[in-house]
Amino acid sequence: MIVVTGATGALNGVTVEHLLRRLPANEVGVSVRDATRAQHLADQGVRVRTGSYDDPDALRASFEGATQVLLVSSNDMDANVADQHRRAIDAAVAAGAQRILFTSQHGAGFDSPYPGSALAADAEAHLATSGVAWTALRNGFFGDLSQLLGPWQKTGVIAKPADGPFSWTSRVDAGEAAAAILTSEDAFEGPIDLTAPIAVTLADFAAIGSELTGRTIERVVLGDEEWVASEIAAGIPEAAARFSLAMFQASRSGHFAAMSPALSELLGRAPRSAAELMAEQAGGAPGPHGLVRSEDRPPPSREDHAQISRP
């Protein structure tokens, strides 16, 4: 049995949908904080049990009988996320899982200014000492483009701090790739980068927006503290603003620059491009050139990073 946490969320919810296209429902289980939100899965024959990263006993019971467990990274900013991840990994090991998968983050590492990268690296380090096979799904950034780019359609401006190349991907594509890995005969041992094939910058998004709308969308670079002050003035807590600022700082120092073909290979097609995703937000279609230089949470953050996130 494959057991998936966070299955009522946007990322792992997609993963479960794709698992059900590949496997009988009785071979899929989910561990969720609120079982009533997973009734649609129970109705299809999926095993639904209650589990929480803050309750190791319930979590272990929810993993019972699992050969593989897919853990979604925590997005509880009021919790000790590193401890939550370690408890979840330990519970999967105690339940007898033979393999643990974790929705990590592209650019995971302790040397990054972005806090999400260190949290992902900490979970990967714990997985490496768990004694069981493990895979870290290092997803590229995803989320609500309006929160990454701001109200560009209204203002004609993308006004953000200086940035560098990063991967902008579709949460739907990431979920499908996770299902492909879970049902593959290949081991996928250790970390695997699941990114767009080509990196993007905010200047690329401005160019895409210009092509989509037929008017000039300007990329304006704000100073770090100027941008934080504007976020606070707009009602964003300072801690949240500085968390997002760290993503821009990490991108401009090259922490998210390396792309991988693995996502395309797992999907058997090109993942949806930044141009396609921006067109969806704009309610139009990509321009004739595609501008592929390189869907529903805060700016670059961990899923639920993306992962903007993963985490």
Side-chain angles (χ1 to χ4, degrees), residues 81-135:
V81 170
D83 281 352
Q84 286 185 320
H85 291 160
R86 294 188 200 111
R87 282 195 294 269
I89 292 165
D90 291 345
V93 173
Q98 299 169 19
R99 182 183 181 204
I100 303 171
L101 297 90
F102 173 73
T103 61
S104 186
Q105 166 168 332
H106 181 224
F110 293 108
D111 62 342
S112 173
Y114 182 54
S117 297
L119 288 169
D122 182 85
E124 290 184 12
H126 198 65
L127 283 165
T129 63
S130 67
V132 301
W134 63 280
T135 304

Side-chain angles (χ1 to χ4, degrees), residues 12 16-17 19 24 29 64 67 83 107 123 151 174 176 192 199 215 239 242 259 275 278 287-288 294 298 309:
N12 277 4
V16 171
E17 288 178 14
L19 285 176
E64 180 187 5
T67 55
D83 281 352
E176 182 178 347
I192 177 171
R215 62 191 178 98
R242 293 197 178 279
M259 299 295 107
M278 195 172 185
S294 56
S309 116

Side-chain angles (χ1 to χ4, degrees), residues 245-285:
L245 172 64
M247 178 271 177
F248 295 111
Q249 293 171 329
S251 70
R252 68 192 185 217
S253 57
H255 283 83
F256 309 127
M259 299 295 107
S260 166
L263 179 59
S264 300
E265 292 167 356
L266 285 162
L267 296 175
R269 57 174 172 79
R272 285 191 290 172
S273 69
E276 289 172 304
L277 295 170
M278 195 172 185
E280 287 181 13
Q281 184 213 13

Side-chain angles (χ1 to χ4, degrees), residues 147-159:
Q147 295 187 51
L148 172 67
L149 304 178
W152 65 273
Q153 291 170 273
K154 178 180 179 181
T155 64
V157 171
I158 297 174

Side-chain angles (χ1 to χ4, degrees), residues 56-273:
D57 291 337
L59 198 60
R60 185 170 58 252
S62 72
F63 295 157
E64 180 187 5
T67 55
Q68 297 186 85
V69 173
L70 171 58
L71 301 173
V72 70
S73 56
S74 171
N75 67 336
D76 186 349
M77 302 308 294
D78 295 322
N80 185 322
V81 170
D83 281 352
Q84 286 185 320
H85 291 160
R86 294 188 200 111
R87 282 195 294 269
I89 292 165
D90 291 345
V93 173
Q98 299 169 19
R99 182 183 181 204
I100 303 171
L101 297 90
F102 173 73
T103 61
S104 186
Q105 166 168 332
H106 181 224
F110 293 108
D111 62 342
S112 173
Y114 182 54
S117 297
L119 288 169
D122 182 85
E124 290 184 12
H126 198 65
L127 283 165
T129 63
S130 67
V132 301
W134 63 280
T135 304
L137 308 175
R138 289 184 172 179
N139 293 317
F141 286 110
F142 51 74
D144 184 347
L145 269 175
S146 66
Q147 295 187 51
L148 172 67
L149 304 178
W152 65 273
Q153 291 170 273
K154 178 180 179 181
T155 64
V157 171
I158 297 174
K160 297 288 179 178
D163 69 310
F166 60 96
S167 170
W168 190 263
T169 56
S170 159
R171 183 181 274 122
V172 173
D173 286 344
E176 182 178 347
I181 290 173
L182 281 162
T183 55
S184 173
E185 294 181 359
D186 296 331
F188 294 101
E189 184 68 20
I192 177 171
D193 287 322
L194 300 175
T195 68
I198 304 173
V200 289
T201 64
L202 295 186
D204 294 325
F205 276 111
I208 294 168
S210 297
E211 185 171 355
L212 285 170
T213 62
R215 62 191 178 98
T216 299
I217 305 300
E218 185 181 3
R219 166 68 171 113
V220 173
V221 177
L222 301 179
D224 288 358
E225 294 306 315
E226 177 187 8
W227 181 77
V228 168
S230 70
E231 290 291 283
I232 294 171
I236 304 299
E238 182 176 357
R242 293 197 178 279
F243 188 94
S244 296
L245 172 64
M247 178 271 177
F248 295 111
Q249 293 171 329
S251 70
R252 68 192 185 217
S253 57
H255 283 83
F256 309 127
M259 299 295 107
S260 166
L263 179 59
S264 300
E265 292 167 356
L266 285 162
L267 296 175
R269 57 174 172 79
R272 285 191 290 172
S273 69

